[in-house]
Amino acid sequence: MKQLDGLRETMRRDRVFNFVQKRQTMALPGTRPVHDGEVDVSHGPILYLEGVNVAFDGFKAINDLNLYIDDGELRCIIGPNGAGKTTMMDIITGKTRPDSGSVYFGQTMDLTQMSEHEIASAGIGRKFQKPTVFPHHTVFQNLELALQADKRVWPSLFFKLTGEQRDRIDEVLKIIHLDAERDLAAAQLSHGQKQWLEIGMLVVQNPRVLLVDEPIAGMTHQETERTAELLTSLAGKHSVVVVEHDMEFIRSIARKVTVLHEGHVLAEGSMDEVQRDPRVISVYLGE
Amino acid sequence: MENRSFIMTLLANDKAAKWFLITLVALAIVVPFCNLMVPADSPFHVSTYTVTLLGKYLSYAILAIALDLVWGYCGILSLGHAAFFALGGYAMGMYLMRQIGDRGVYGNPDLPDFMVFLSWTELPWYWQGFDMFWFAMLMVVLVPGMLAYVFGWLAFRSRVTGVYLSIITQALTFALMLAFFRNEMGFGGNNGLTDFKDILGFDLQSDNTRAGLFIATIFFLGLAYVVSKFVVNSKMGRVVVAIRDAEARTRFVGYKVESFKLWIFVFSAMLAGIAGALYTPQVGIINPGEFSPLNSIELVVWVAVGGRGTLLGAVVGAVVVNFAKTFFTGFAPEIWLFFLGALFIFVTIFLPQGIVGLAQQLLEKRNKTKTATPKAEASV
């Protein structure tokens, strides 16, 4: 049966094989050519998750998940604990492989076939739930390490920062309000500052998609406001996907909200629509 | 050009590095001078025994730098690093064996003594070429490098980390020790390789050759230090530290963590091989005991005592601990291991940054009080 499925998959007529697509640099009428390694967003969405399933020891963490993220949008994903939010991010960034289903970045890049560092280089940046920065490096060095560059071993050994790259880091330092702390070791930053630094490390890579996992956990009210500002200013230039618990925060930034429940999309729409949805109410309030 | 400018900036910006290199140059001049030129009855005379002993310590220092690169900087605790050292030592030993020629006990011009003893009739294929110095020196770096490459490629690709990796490295050196103990391996079995006569035509027993080996050791220690400094000061070095501190983050920032680990591991193994090659002619013997797991663990203690994550700390640790070892084993050999264990526990608990870390803290404190006093006066 499995082999039959595999055969069906190869014989599908609505999909073009990767190796054929990579050669296709000629533009179709009305579109621009897509080069190797470039993200093709000609159809609108930048991330496609279709029919994705993941089970851990029989527990279905993700259950037939279908999710589309448009290029440049700011999407909030909410859901009760265990809804599969973090697992979803693990799948997109290559940390977890789906049991079935397809995950595409643009029209051409099959994320299930790429390793973590390839996905990161292709333009998907991820912020972890717990702030993880490089504690023994300065704020500036943290950004320098994240900076878009040739990240193989030998080029790194002989790497020299160009003036443009320095400017880019300075620019990001201003965006994340850490200009004054640039020479401080990252370990000395406050919790909120570490969260910003981590977001800055994503931004400096010039990713197309930013995955942000619980950005305001443990932040003060003031820091939360600044973070909201930061994230809304990033949308447009990047697609931003935010996973959060805090409803008030979501309300302040969200245009479109997706509710996950038991590894499945329960509802999608504006915050008001979603909050009126009886299924969402029952999941959140119980019964 | 690139390298020279790097050395210049290093000397200008890093005081510790500058003083370290100056000390090395001074040692390279003073010690051989006091050994060869100063008459034996003068209080300034340095005995050949001391020169050789110092040379041995300094070759250990190179080994300590090698371990510090993978452990202190990359967080890979290798408990089998002495294996690479021993392999380098064996490669050098094989060259020295071939140099003996027909001056062995059995007088066989083609075969080393132990092969004649085992009634072998011809040289095994893996001994071919070792009569050429350049080939032997190539093997000094290539053999440890290749082993580290294969081992590292398998281990890092499967994402073996932490204690598990340490245990496998320990097993690696143990397996090599057992293999080298076997006579059929063709490396002299239990006795190893010894009874060397000369190196590049110079008599190994003469004081001049000993002094030359000492200077060569200092040269390679300086070179290892400067090149390692270049590596850890580069962006590549910062990536390596980033891997130590937050491996997953490094991966998601876009670095292929396995490649970086493998590179630093192979580089470190090659350094260890060079250290071994300098060790063998000075000590006059290389045997399977060098593969003993205890050696690798002792090596970890040197680096911990000196201060891991600082290249200077590795050098200081290697010299200090080995000096203590020579001292203690001289008058009370049975307490040495207890002392070593106590030292490791003491350093781990009270000096997590090692000797160099302690020195840094003291310096910072002094600087702070220096800058603090004028301010206090001004406020008065």
Side-chain angles (χ1 to χ4, degrees), chain B residues 29-149:
Chain B
I29 296 167
V30 172
V31 172
F33 179 82
C34 290
N35 175 240
L36 300 173
M37 302 297 178
V38 177
D41 51 358
S42 153
F44 294 105
H45 177 76
V46 174
S47 70
T48 308
Y49 170 75
T50 314
V51 174
T52 307
L53 200 64
L54 275 177
K56 190 175 102 174
Y57 292 171
L58 295 180
S59 65
Y60 281 153
I62 300 177
L63 175 60
I65 287 183
L67 180 75
D68 197 21
L69 282 175
V70 291
W71 183 39
Y73 287 91
C74 198
I76 306 167
L77 175 55
S78 165
L79 288 180
H81 238 58
F84 303 121
F85 176 82
L87 285 173
Y90 263 97
M92 177 58 117
M94 285 161 83
Y95 163 76
L96 295 174
M97 284 308 267
R98 301 292 286 133
Q99 289 299 293
I100 297 173
D102 59 1
R103 286 170 294 173
V105 179
Y106 295 106
N108 189 319
D110 299 321
L111 292 181
D113 275 351
F114 72 89
M115 290 187 193
V116 181
F117 184 75
L118 293 173
S119 23
W120 291 13
T121 48
E122 57 181 315
L123 207 60
W125 61 268
Y126 48 84
W127 273 75
Q128 302 295 338
F130 275 93
D131 47 340
M132 290 173 283
F133 186 70
W134 67 267
F135 180 80
M137 292 310 100
L138 200 63
M139 289 301 129
V140 160
V141 287
L142 276 190
V143 172
M146 286 296 283
L147 177 68
Y149 186 87

